Amino acid sequence: MISEDPQRKSKLAVLDALRNRRKTFRKQTSLFKKENSPRRTEKTPSPIHATELPGREEKNALGTFLRWEQPLRLDFNWLKDLNQKRNELWPQEQNALEALPQIRASDLLFFDLETCGFAGTPLFLVGCLVVHAGEGRLVQFLARHYGEEAAVVLAASDLMGRHGLWISFNGRSYDSPFFADRCRLFGLEPPQPLGHLDLLHASRRRWKHDLPNCRLGTLERFILGLKRPPDTPGSQVPAHYHEFVKKGEVSNILSILRHNAQDLKSLALLMGALPLHKQKQLSQRMNSRG
Amino acid sequence: MSTAEETIQSVLETLKHDPSYQNQLCHVEHIPAREAQHRDVLPPLSQGLCETLSRYGVNQLYRHQAETISHARAKKNVVTVTGTASGKTLAYLLPILETLEQDSGATALLLYPTKALTQDQLKAMGRLLAHHPSLSQSVLAGSYDGDTSGSARRKIRDEANLLLTNPDMLHRGILPYHAKWHRLFKNLRYVVIDEVHSYRGIFGSNVGQVLRRLQRIQQHYAPSAKPVFLASSATIQNPKQHAEALVGAPFELVDQDGAPRGPKTFCFWNPPYLDRAQMERKSGNVEAKDILVQLMQRGIASIVFTKARVVAELIYRYARGTLLELPGLTNTNLSERLTPYRGGYLPSDRREIERRLFSGELLGVISTNALELGIDIGSLDASITVGFPGTIASLWQQAGRAGRTHTAALTLFIAYNDPIDQYLVRHPQYFFEQTPESAVIDTENPYILASHLSCAAFELPLRSQESELFGETYPELIALMKDVEDVVEVDGKTFWSSPEFPAQSVSLRTISDNTYSIVDVDEKNKVIGTVDAISALELVYPEAIYLHRGETFFVQELDLDKKLARVQKIEADYYTQPVLDASIKENNLKEQQASGTETVRLIDATVTWATTMLKKLQFGSMDSIGYKNLDLPPQHLETVALAWTPSPKAVSEVFPLGVKVSDALSGVRNLAITIFPLLAMCDRADVGGIVNASNTGKPTLYLYDRFPGGLGFSERAYENFTDLLQACLKLVSTCPCEAGCPSCVGLATLRPPIHQDPDALGGYPIPDKHAATVLLRGALRGPVKSEEFSSFASRNGSP
Ligand SMILES: [Zn+2]
């Protein structure tokens, strides 16, 4: 029973509350004698703060959610190159594309999840970037509270299932299994793409020796030449969402929506900037950018 | 008379005719042999299973196996109470295999209290499955615990039919990630709970909640299915009621053990006095060693059970020395067929010892209660228990380790020179007439329940109708969780709403899972063993002699930051014992109340203990050859305590007896620790009691929760203080003993710290029974009304 041992004392706030309110609690429930006690019946309102959020409410078999769709002007010319030069790709990438002999623009789906953290927690935002009639469309599905997650998963799963090639950043090990878990939780069969390109792995293969790391921010700066203003740090995202659900604090959610949209846009740009053959070109690029 | 019986009788005769024999054998109880009771299952098992069984060497099922299978087929939960080696694994495995023959996608979850037992049972299953023509191909059994490798984890998650794990892993590693285990939950047909009696007290109350969480997750994935629970238990007073409380569902009881059993001779052995004044007795450890050597020389496979790790090492060292000194090559070989076994050895070393025991390579083992649980070590002929293990159930379970199907077995209980042990050898019938203890849990303990409701909310939103599963305090606890903003209610469902991972903050056991490594500096810092954080300061303090498989290691350094003890092998002729100092400090008065003349307080308290000194003791003689002061950080337990300082009026009634008030109060403390668990629905080991005067200047009784922050045990004792004193008085005044016994003022579980050699310590005296009675009467003013006690007893089961 070493006091420093972090395992020893539970940090759950409810236990402290129970200790502090033991007297009133005991009067209500009388733990030893088990008398019946009046129960609290206060009603908590549903925390839906739709008014200040963009997009519109939609409904499917599993409930309501918020859908926000925006056009996004992007260049998808790299697709032609990708189809032509696929033999020059790394073997892992060729394997990922094997089931797609000819990739069409309508196959493409960039996606990125925002979740409450580690496995087992809920997700609350699925951002997708697809090409529709030659133009990029950004679709974001937001759960305005935990109860809307099921409908978000169903809606996103529909969209994702209709696209054969998924492109993500670390999605093979994080977003995709995470999404599959949430599908199973809600009794849905997880959608499966024909191919899944993970741009984190693709970037590492190309630039791991030239860049300090292969985080998306680093790639944006050195490869895409973008400068992003600092926004919500990833580690704070879960806490912001919980605050939003409990207190209706909208500003942080708006910033997470923007952040998610920017991530997707960067993925599409990064895809265009990806050298399709195993040639080192980075040093020239970096030099030319100063 | 069979040969085995003759051997046992001749060993006893030899011991009795030894020139040094002084009537050590104070009681012999003959437990007759039991015939096998076979039973067929109807309808019979499948062809495939029958063939498997006959290849496995089983041609007929025992009655308890057949009964268990019938209940399982009828989809009824069942708890099977049987002895060691009675084929309980088969009893719960056959219904599962029968289901798997019909549905190859079915799954079963099997829970074991320890990793060691999990591995043992996995091997046993493998041996049986190997004989089945089709299931050996189609069924995957796998264990999932802290030792499972990353790649194996995925395969087990995705493919295993039989998942073997422990409640801790279920709590932290499976339930929170249930979506990854959807296949297991969707197809879950059976839940096996092995050694169900080990889930008692705080641990059991926690496991009860984990099992409720398991059931709601199973219901989420397969709302129309209901898995059958198959539990096995050692003999306790309340197996059916205990299993029902743990799972929260009705159980059938199968307690007619149909396995045959040879006759058993159960002896009580009291080491002789060393001096005419009859003060000191011969060391119980040395006596155990002498008998073990005799048994081994006659080829009798034997196990010695000790109360402390250090004792297992000491007896091993003594026995090895004796065997090596005896003339003849056989005896040298015998020393290699003996080993100690205890917690703190590396898992690989433990598996190796278990294997050698099972195969019969080893003839003798000296073990702590680590081998009391059902690990299959094959059959042994003799068991020796040195010192009363604290509970009747435990001593019977240790005795159960000796005995084969048809041959005779010997069990010896060797007493230390301590009051409880001496009481038992003076009154052997006390032991044979006692019913084994009950296993007690409380699945409505609000603190434990609140912890698990947090975990449950994380796993799936809570619904109002789940009161049925979690009991009547559920709505209030949910309200409290909302107040602290851990959860939020949306559309009638309560969701977890915090970045915390609650399962990480909730430990099922009171024992720390924080471990220290013991490394050998001469062997490139190779890890030779481990020790838990609490024990480290009592076992591997600087300059200690750490005994490991009979060798002496000198502790150079205990590094608290790196959690390392650096040791070096040396040849020492002594061992060390920590000298501990325990105290209690009152921090904060929470509440107080008066009852007649007495005032009782509920306080926040800090219980502190520290290793202040080490004592060097010569091997064998236990002569003290030196002390050394130590400067080690004390260990603290911040908890809640009840404090009672008897009033001057109550105390004045004790004075004429010529007994110290603190002695009378110690008797009350021991009575209270017997009653307290019934009142607070916990295990004796979950609460502690101290009598001292350091805070108030007067002898004061403290009863505290052995859990950081407290779990409401002292609270209940405080709320029902008069009940508690009356129950104590009733217990002591109706006890038929003359001057105090382990059932009343002489508490059997009040033990020296776990890492001390009881032989060198002497134990605690049994306090004065009369003085305790007088003090209680004084405090309660007048005789106890008998109907008050009987209503209390009927509510809680009589002590
Ligand atoms: Zn008594």
Side-chain angles (χ1 to χ4, degrees):
Chain A
M1 301 189 187
I2 292 181
S3 47
E4 298 83 36
D5 187 343
Q7 303 282 358
R8 299 299 301 159
K9 193 166 176 177
S10 171
K11 294 182 292 279
L12 293 175
V14 63
L15 297 181
D16 286 331
L18 193 52
R19 278 179 196 113
N20 293 336
R21 275 181 242 177
R22 186 185 55 83
K23 230 170 149 177
T24 45
F25 190 77
R26 187 174 79 221
K27 271 189 204 126
Q28 286 171 5
T29 62
S30 187
L31 297 176
F32 188 61
K33 283 175 184 119
K34 300 264 163 63
E35 288 151 4
N36 284 326
S37 59
R39 294 213 164 122
R40 301 192 196 199
T41 47
E42 60 190 77
K43 189 109 180 84
T44 32
S46 283
I48 294 186
H49 323 284
T51 45
E52 296 163 65
L53 290 169
R56 63 164 202 273
E57 185 175 293
E58 287 197 0
K59 196 169 163 48
N60 63 23
L62 295 182
T64 57
F65 60 100
L66 201 75
R67 179 189 172 108
W68 188 20
E69 189 167 334
Q70 313 165 67
L72 204 62
R73 207 176 291 257
L74 275 173
D75 167 13
F76 291 100
N77 287 337
W78 47 264
L79 187 56
K80 206 166 65 196
D81 278 359
L82 184 64
N83 275 322
Q84 281 167 6
K85 296 186 186 161
R86 64 161 70 202
N87 294 339
E88 295 170 38
L89 289 170
W90 269 254
Q92 299 94 318
E93 292 156 14
Q94 292 191 28
N95 287 345
L97 299 178
E98 205 174 15
L100 291 136
Q102 188 65 28
I103 307 163
R104 293 159 302 162
S106 59
D107 289 327
L108 302 176
L109 176 124
F110 295 85
F111 79 106
D112 184 32
L113 306 183
E114 302 299 334
T115 71
C116 290
F118 40 85
T121 61
L123 62 79
F124 61 89
L125 175 62
V126 184
C128 297
L129 173 55
V130 293
V131 187
H132 189 68
E135 195 182 62
R137 294 196 83 78
L138 182 73
V139 189
Q140 287 173 303
F141 303 94
L142 175 72
R144 292 165 295 178
H145 56 75
Y146 314 108
E148 289 192 334
E149 187 196 1
V152 162
V153 170
L154 175 58
S157 161
D158 272 352
L159 181 67
M160 290 163 76
R162 281 187 269 118
H163 293 81
L165 179 59
W166 294 0
I167 304 171
S168 67
F169 197 78
N170 196 28
R172 286 184 83 102
S173 34
Y174 183 78
D175 303 62
S176 180
F178 197 111
F179 191 76
D181 283 352
R182 300 316 281 178
C183 284
R184 294 214 164 91
L185 170 67
F186 299 119
L188 306 170
E189 195 51 43
Q192 286 289 343
L194 294 168
H196 185 166
L197 271 182
D198 190 323
L199 295 188
L200 171 64
H201 301 181
S203 303
R204 280 201 185 130
R205 280 191 280 271
R206 285 157 177 84
W207 299 309
K208 85 171 165 208
H209 299 296
D210 304 303
L211 293 177
N213 58 53
C214 281
R215 278 189 232 129
L216 190 55
T218 312
L219 296 166
E220 283 173 348
R221 187 169 155 217
F222 290 109
I223 307 296
L224 304 178
L226 294 176
K227 255 203 187 134
R228 232 211 265 204
D231 55 7
T232 319
S235 60
Q236 287 302 306
V237 166
H240 284 321
Y241 182 64
H242 292 307
E243 284 305 295
F244 162 70
V245 176
K246 279 186 278 200
K247 308 217 169 95
E249 182 58 54
V250 173
S251 62
N252 285 322
I253 284 302
L254 290 173
S255 126
I256 293 170
L257 280 166
R258 277 195 302 271
H259 171 96
N260 176 261
Q262 181 57 52
D263 278 359
L264 288 165
K265 204 167 152 185
S266 296
L267 287 195
L269 293 172
L270 192 61
M271 193 62 217
L274 215 61
L276 295 182
H277 45 88
K278 300 188 221 173
Q279 216 177 62
K280 234 182 170 182
Q281 334 178 309
L282 183 75
S283 30
Q284 299 153 15
R285 271 168 188 270
M286 283 174 81
N287 289 340
S288 68
R289 284 177 204 282
Chain B
M1 208 184 266
S2 70
T3 25
E5 211 161 345
E6 279 164 18
T7 317
I8 282 169
Q9 292 309 327
S10 90
V11 172
L12 288 178
E13 287 309 309
T14 316
L15 291 171
K16 280 202 273 190
H17 288 98
D18 191 277
S20 67
Y21 181 72
Q22 295 175 52
N23 297 314
Q24 287 97 320
L25 195 57
C26 41
H27 180 80
V28 180
E29 186 90 7
H30 292 285
I31 301 167
R34 190 179 57 208
E35 295 289 316
Q37 288 186 62
H38 293 290
R39 197 57 68 86
D40 291 327
V41 272
L42 285 173
L45 294 169
S46 70
Q47 180 100 27
L49 279 175
C50 288
E51 283 168 18
T52 305
L53 284 177
S54 76
R55 275 184 227 124
Y56 187 65
V58 173
N59 293 311
Q60 257 183 310
L61 291 179
Y62 297 128
R63 173 177 169 178
H64 62 276
Q65 294 170 327
E67 287 177 357
T68 303
I69 295 167
S70 301
H71 288 308
R73 282 175 168 179
K75 307 241 174 300
K76 285 179 180 162
N77 302 328
V78 52
V79 54
T80 309
V81 185
T82 51
T84 330
S86 57
K88 60 163 187 182
T89 310
L90 214 52
Y92 62 65
L93 211 50
L94 285 173
I96 300 176
L97 296 182
E98 199 169 51
T99 301
L100 278 167
E101 282 187 327
Q102 286 147 21
D103 173 6
S104 61
T107 59
L109 178 69
L110 301 97
L111 294 173
Y112 301 93
T114 63
K115 285 191 218 165
L117 194 54
T118 310
Q119 291 310 315
D120 179 67
Q121 291 294 298
L122 184 61
K123 263 183 273 166
M125 272 167 220
R127 284 194 293 268
L128 178 70
L129 270 174
H131 294 293
H132 195 285
S134 60
L135 293 183
S136 57
Q137 303 301 313
S138 61
V139 169
L140 178 68
S143 66
Y144 192 81
D145 56 35
D147 299 339
T148 314
S149 72
S151 56
R153 283 183 176 216
R154 204 195 178 94
K155 185 171 169 67
I156 287 160
R157 212 171 63 200
D158 296 344
E159 294 171 33
N161 302 95
L162 304 179
L163 180 77
L164 290 77
T165 187
N166 54 60
D168 313 77
M169 194 66 183
L170 182 62
H171 157 61
R172 275 196 188 142
I174 296 178
L175 294 180
Y177 310 113
H178 51 84
K180 296 191 185 305
W181 296 88
H182 66 280
R183 186 190 56 86
L184 174 80
F185 294 116
K186 206 172 279 175
N187 301 297
L188 190 63
R189 304 286 292 275
Y190 293 98
V191 179
V192 170
I193 311 173
D194 197 17
E195 308 275 351
V196 78
H197 62 280
S198 61
Y199 302 123
R200 57 177 192 268
I202 295 173
F203 182 39
S205 303
N206 274 294
V207 171
Q209 299 303 341
V210 173
L211 292 172
R212 280 159 181 75
R213 283 161 53 201
L214 165 71
Q215 291 175 70
R216 66 194 286 273
I217 287 178
Q218 179 276 328
Q219 283 294 298
H220 174 82
Y221 287 97
S224 56
K226 216 170 162 64
V228 175
F229 285 81
L230 305 173
S232 79
S233 175
T235 307
I236 49 171
Q237 201 180 355
N238 59 339
K240 175 171 147 72
Q241 183 242 340
H242 178 58
E244 289 178 342
L246 196 71
V247 176
F251 267 75
E252 301 293 325
L253 175 68
V254 171
D255 61 355
Q256 293 300 309
D257 190 340
R261 205 74 170 148
K264 169 164 283 178
T265 309
F266 202 136
C267 305
F268 276 32
W269 185 274
N270 201 6
Y273 283 116
L274 289 173
D275 49 350
R276 286 190 181 214
Q278 304 209 328
M279 293 293 289
E280 245 187 286
R281 285 181 184 273
K282 189 181 163 195
S283 154
N285 295 346
V286 173
E287 199 79 341
K289 178 270 291 182
D290 287 343
I291 297 173
L292 173 67
V293 167
Q294 294 251 15
L295 291 168
M296 286 183 68
Q297 283 184 296
R298 287 162 188 270
I300 299 176
S302 308
I303 183 163
V304 179
F305 283 104
T306 68
K307 289 170 76 164
R309 292 176 186 184
V310 60
V311 179
E313 297 286 352
L314 284 173
I315 297 180
Y316 169 67
R317 206 180 148 88
Y318 297 164
R320 186 183 59 183
T322 305
L323 288 168
L324 286 171
E325 275 166 27
L326 289 171
L329 192 63
T330 2
N331 291 317
T332 314
N333 289 340
L334 277 182
S335 75
E336 282 156 19
R337 296 182 67 195
L338 177 67
T339 183
Y341 181 99
R342 60 171 174 84
Y345 286 169
L346 299 179
S348 54
D349 290 348
R350 287 174 63 160
R351 297 300 89 77
E352 174 65 6
I353 297 170
E354 288 157 16
R355 187 196 61 73
R356 291 177 67 206
L357 267 168
F358 185 78
S359 70
E361 262 172 68
L362 290 171
L363 194 58
V365 59
I366 303 148
S367 172
T368 57
N369 63 0
L371 273 182
E372 198 179 289
L373 284 178
I375 293 169
D376 194 353
I377 48 170
S379 299
L380 299 162
D381 301 304
S383 75
I384 302 172
T385 294
V386 204
F388 184 57
T391 65
I392 304 280
S394 205
L395 182 48
W396 276 115
Q397 227 186 322
Q398 297 183 355
R401 276 302 196 175
R404 300 179 196 258
T405 333
H406 298 295
T407 55
L410 173 70
T411 286
L412 268 141
F413 163 66
I414 299 181
Y416 282 124
N417 195 16
D418 106 359
I420 300 297
D421 286 16
Q422 288 303 313
Y423 181 88
L424 286 171
V425 287
R426 278 199 313 275
H427 306 92
Q429 283 317 320
Y430 171 86
F431 169 75
F432 292 100
E433 284 163 8
Q434 286 284 312
T435 34
E437 294 77 4
S438 300
V440 180
I441 60 163
D442 180 9
T443 50
E444 294 202 6
N445 179 307
Y447 295 97
I448 296 176
L449 183 52
S451 309
H452 288 276
L453 284 179
S454 300
C455 300
F458 174 90
E459 288 154 6
L460 286 174
L462 294 161
R463 292 155 193 270
S464 54
Q465 66 266 33
E466 289 183 296
S467 277
E468 217 174 292
L469 193 60
F470 291 115
E472 55 187 275
T473 54
Y474 175 78
E476 278 83 3
L477 287 173
I478 297 291
L480 208 57
M481 287 162 70
K482 280 184 204 159
D483 289 350
V484 299
E485 300 190 345
D486 272 351
V487 295
V488 63
E489 186 180 315
V490 188
D491 300 339
K493 291 189 234 167
T494 302
F495 291 86
W496 183 247
S497 180
S498 152
E500 293 292 315
F501 177 49
Q504 195 55 46
S505 303
V506 179
S507 170
L508 305 187
R509 309 190 193 227
T510 48
I511 300 162
S512 159
D513 37 15
N514 210 338
T515 52
Y516 280 55
S517 298
I518 301 167
V519 301
D520 185 343
V521 294
D522 288 339
E523 298 282 335
K524 297 181 184 152
N525 287 329
K526 191 179 111 170
V527 178
I528 58 168
T530 57
V531 59
D532 65 275
I534 297 161
S535 301
L537 293 155
E538 297 174 28
L539 209 65
V540 285
Y541 43 88
E543 295 189 39
I545 295 295
Y546 167 67
L547 291 166
H548 189 90
R549 305 193 82 164
E551 304 300 325
T552 45
F553 290 84
F554 180 78
V555 179
Q556 291 186 335
E557 190 194 358
L558 177 64
D559 187 332
L560 297 169
D561 295 328
K562 292 192 179 130
K563 297 195 167 61
L564 271 185
R566 297 194 175 83
V567 304
Q568 182 174 34
K569 194 164 167 183
I570 61 163
E571 288 305 321
D573 59 355
Y574 66 94
Y575 62 106
T576 55
Q577 286 282 282
V579 178
L580 296 180
D581 182 41
S583 62
I584 187 164
K585 189 171 145 277
E586 297 190 9
N587 296 332
N588 171 37
L589 178 69
K590 295 165 92 81
E591 257 181 87
Q592 64 177 10
Q593 64 184 23
S595 147
T597 53
E598 305 306 306
T599 301
V600 60
R601 294 173 295 133
L602 187 69
I603 57 169
D604 287 322
T606 308
V607 183
T608 301
W609 56 103
T611 307
T612 53
M613 244 196 268
L614 70 81
K615 201 162 63 169
K616 296 179 182 176
L617 300 173
Q618 199 117 44
F619 281 124
S621 71
M622 290 186 297
D623 289 340
S624 173
I625 55 167
Y627 285 86
K628 187 164 191 318
N629 286 324
L630 293 170
D631 182 25
L632 288 170
Q635 308 185 64
H636 301 291
L637 170 67
E638 307 274 344
T639 186
V640 177
L642 166 160
W644 174 45
T645 312
S647 69
K649 185 200 141 281
V651 163
S652 68
E653 305 197 19
V654 179
F655 287 143
L657 304 174
V659 176
K660 277 197 280 181
V661 177
S662 60
D663 191 36
L665 201 52
S666 295
V668 174
R669 186 257 328 263
N670 293 355
L671 289 162
I673 287 188
T674 307
I675 300 287
F676 187 10
L678 301 176
L679 192 69
M681 311 254 304
C682 62
D683 195 71
R684 279 188 200 183
D686 299 338
V687 292
I690 291 181
V691 171
N692 82 17
S694 61
N695 290 281
T696 57
K698 293 177 194 151
T700 301
L701 164 67
Y702 299 94
L703 298 173
Y704 62 89
D705 298 14
R706 279 186 193 269
F707 198 85
L711 282 177
F713 307 143
S714 311
E715 273 173 34
R716 285 204 212 177
Y718 169 83
E719 285 155 20
N720 300 278
F721 185 63
T722 310
D723 263 6
L724 176 71
L725 289 190
Q726 276 174 349
C728 288
L729 180 56
K730 181 76 182 175
L731 178 64
V732 68
S733 53
T734 55
C735 189
C737 71
E738 259 175 54
C741 74
S743 284
C744 58
V745 287
L747 182 70
T749 45
L750 191 72
R751 45 180 200 155
I754 47 174
H755 296 300
Q756 294 197 344
D757 175 6
D759 212 5
L761 213 83
Y764 296 95
I766 295 182
D768 192 294
K769 181 182 181 182
H770 185 55
T773 315
V774 168
L775 181 61
L776 282 167
R777 283 230 169 85
L780 284 166
R781 287 194 304 178
V784 58
K785 288 185 227 123
S786 58
E787 64 274 12
E788 278 178 33
F789 178 72
S790 56
S791 75
F792 167 77
S794 64
R795 252 184 291 149
N796 295 287
S798 94

